[in-house]
């Protein structure tokens, strides 16, 4: 056992290092996380740019930006051990977004991170909530990360455009869910939006207009965001009069050369009201009664296929259970033919090959 008197001479330098290094790290972390009292770059002492200064950003939003969190959720898909079990595959994909949120929250609780890392983590968390369709929680997270940026613009301003855009997306999707999905009508979500399809719950679209307008202060030539702004005004019945002139997109270029009438959604009246992700659809006579039936699939690995039998009176009945399709989950595409030549149509379902693949 070494004592102070007879210990090796190198012991004291090591003790000093052991004390000073953690102290230096703690001091550095505290410096990184302190909140400046004014809009001054906390490292250089120079005035930080206003968050709404046009031309202050080198940021360009990619046209294929994953605002829905589809790609980031793939990180949290559980490993698939049995590719032949659709139930197992569903469990691996189920709630991947929420699983990601929990992982990020756990990471933030375990170890402190620098402000920029916290901003990055919050943005990822918001995208995961968007993936799960939890727009209220996505909006709350984005409000928090926006507050972080506004409190320290000198260091964190580069992510401000991303946050503004995602705030607009979250608000507009909330508006669509509250109005077009929950309280839809024959004309819901059919462009151009007619008076009967104007949103009765306007809060989501109002927020979307605010956020997209803020974003366009920085990037007025972003045509995709201008389009979303016009669409938000349209959902409130305020297009074109309410749209700022500099952002107005006229409808004339979208007009058809020929008047083919207007489509309306009659699926609910026919017994075909189903809400799922895009997938395959087949209309053919599956029970050999001379009437065209309908089979659908969904690219969501947790949603079953569906079979609607034509009743002969212009309506359909859901015969999914009787057809044995209730446990046939997922299906990016499907195609029919009589594969075994027995006089009855069979269905080939293509699964996998999507962007959301487990690593």
């Amino acid at each position: 056992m070494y004592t102070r008197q007879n210990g090796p001479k190198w012991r004291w330098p090591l003790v000093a290092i052991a004390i000073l290094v953690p102290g230096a790290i703690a001091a550095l972390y505290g410096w990184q996380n302190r909140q400046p009292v004014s809009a001054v770059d906390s490292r250089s002492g120079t005035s930080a740019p206003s968050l709404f200064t046009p031309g202050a950003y080198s940021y360009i939003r990619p046209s294929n930006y994953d605002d829905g969190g589809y790609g980031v959720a793939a990180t949290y898909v559980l490993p698939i051990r049995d590719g032949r079990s659709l139930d197992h595959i569903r469990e691996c994909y189920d709630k991947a977004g929420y699983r990601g949120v929990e992982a990020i929250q756990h990471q933030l609780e375990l170890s402190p991170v620098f402000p920029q890392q916290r901003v990055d983590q919050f943005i990822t968390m918001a995208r995961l909530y968007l993936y799960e369709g939890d727009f209220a929680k996505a909006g709350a997270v984005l409000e928090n990360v926006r507050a972080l940026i506004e409190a320290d613009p000198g260091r964190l301003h580069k992510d401000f455009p991303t946050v503004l855009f995602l705030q607009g997306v979250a608000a507009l999707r909330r508006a669509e869910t509250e109005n077009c999905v929950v309280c839809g009508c024959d004309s819901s979500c059919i462009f151009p939006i007619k008076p009967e399809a104007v949103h009765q719950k306007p809060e989501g679209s109002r927020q979307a207009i605010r956020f997209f307008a803020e974003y366009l202060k920085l990037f007025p030539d972003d045509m995709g965001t201008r389009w979303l702004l016009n669409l938000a005004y349209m959902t409130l019945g305020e297009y074109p009069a309410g749209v700022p002139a500099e952002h107005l997109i006229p409808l004339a270029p979208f007009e058809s050369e020929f008047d083919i009438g207007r489509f309306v959604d009659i699926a609910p009246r026919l017994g075909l009201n189903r809400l799922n992700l895009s997938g395959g659809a087949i209309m053919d006579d599956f029970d050999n009664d001379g009437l065209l039936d309908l089979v659908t699939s969904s690219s969501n690995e947790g949603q079953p296929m569906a079979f609607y039998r034509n009743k002969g009176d212009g309506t359909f009945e859901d015969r999914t259970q009787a057809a044995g399709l209730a446990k046939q989950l997922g299906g990016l595409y499907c195609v029919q033919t009589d594969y075994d030549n027995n006089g009855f149509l069979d269905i080939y379902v293509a699964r996998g090959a999507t962007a959301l693949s487990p690593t």
Side-chain angles (χ1 to χ4, degrees), residues 179 254 272 283 309:
N179 294 274
F254 299 97
L272 296 172
M283 179 160 274
R309 178 180 174 273

Side-chain angles (χ1 to χ4, degrees), residues 92-116:
C92 292
Y93 279 86
D94 188 41
K95 294 182 172 57
Y98 287 127
R99 195 155 47 241
V101 169
E102 291 178 1
I104 293 173
Q105 290 173 334
H106 183 64
Q107 181 180 352
L108 291 173
E109 291 170 359
L110 281 181
S111 58
V113 295
F114 293 131
Q116 182 59 61

Side-chain angles (χ1 to χ4, degrees), residues 4 35-36 43 69 77 146 169 216 228 230 233 263 270 292:
R4 178 176 175 180
Q35 300 296 336
R43 290 170 297 180
V77 174
R146 177 169 178 163
V169 168
L216 288 169
L228 293 176
N230 280 253
Y233 274 108
F263 289 95
L270 304 185
L292 295 178

Side-chain angles (χ1 to χ4, degrees), residues 104-160:
I104 293 173
Q105 290 173 334
H106 183 64
Q107 181 180 352
L108 291 173
E109 291 170 359
L110 281 181
S111 58
V113 295
F114 293 131
Q116 182 59 61
Q117 293 173 303
R118 184 172 293 273
V119 167
D120 294 340
Q121 296 282 49
F122 279 160
I123 290 176
T124 299
M125 193 184 301
R127 290 167 63 197
L128 289 168
Y129 276 131
L130 286 172
Y131 169 78
E132 292 290 351
D134 200 334
F135 309 122
K137 289 184 179 178
V141 171
L142 290 167
E143 280 293 332
N144 289 337
V145 72
R146 177 169 178 163
L148 288 176
I149 295 173
E150 290 174 339
D152 194 356
R155 286 181 295 168
L156 304 178
H157 74 281
K158 74 178 183 65
D159 288 303
F160 191 58

Side-chain angles (χ1 to χ4, degrees), residues 244-319:
E246 65 272 22
H247 299 317
L248 179 64
I249 298 178
L251 292 183
F254 299 97
E255 294 178 357
S256 175
E257 183 180 355
F258 304 99
D259 184 4
I260 60 173
R262 180 175 173 82
F263 289 95
V264 294
D265 183 6
I266 63 172
R269 284 183 272 158
L270 304 185
L272 296 172
N273 194 21
R274 194 175 189 88
L275 180 64
N276 56 13
L277 291 183
S278 59
I282 305 170
M283 179 160 274
D284 211 325
D285 182 8
F286 284 97
D287 55 2
N288 292 339
D289 64 354
L291 300 173
L292 295 178
D293 310 302
L294 181 65
V295 168
T296 66
S297 66
S298 168
S299 57
N300 184 328
E301 292 77 6
Q303 290 179 329
M305 297 180 67
F307 171 57
Y308 294 96
R309 178 180 174 273
N310 193 327
K311 296 169 64 177
D313 60 359
T315 64
F316 294 78
E317 60 178 337
D318 189 340
R319 301 282 291 171

Side-chain angles (χ1 to χ4, degrees), residues 11 22 73 85 117 157 185 191 215 226 229 254 281 285 288 331:
R11 178 175 175 83
S85 170
Q117 293 173 303
H157 74 281
C185 66
F191 175 83
Y215 179 92
R226 283 180 59 192
L229 179 71
F254 299 97
D285 182 8
N288 292 339

Side-chain angles (χ1 to χ4, degrees), residues 13-37:
L14 286 180
V15 172
I17 291 173
I19 294 173
L20 292 175
V21 170
I25 293 175
L28 175 62
Y29 177 74
W31 175 79
Q32 286 280 357
N33 280 277
R34 77 187 194 282
Q35 300 296 336
V37 296

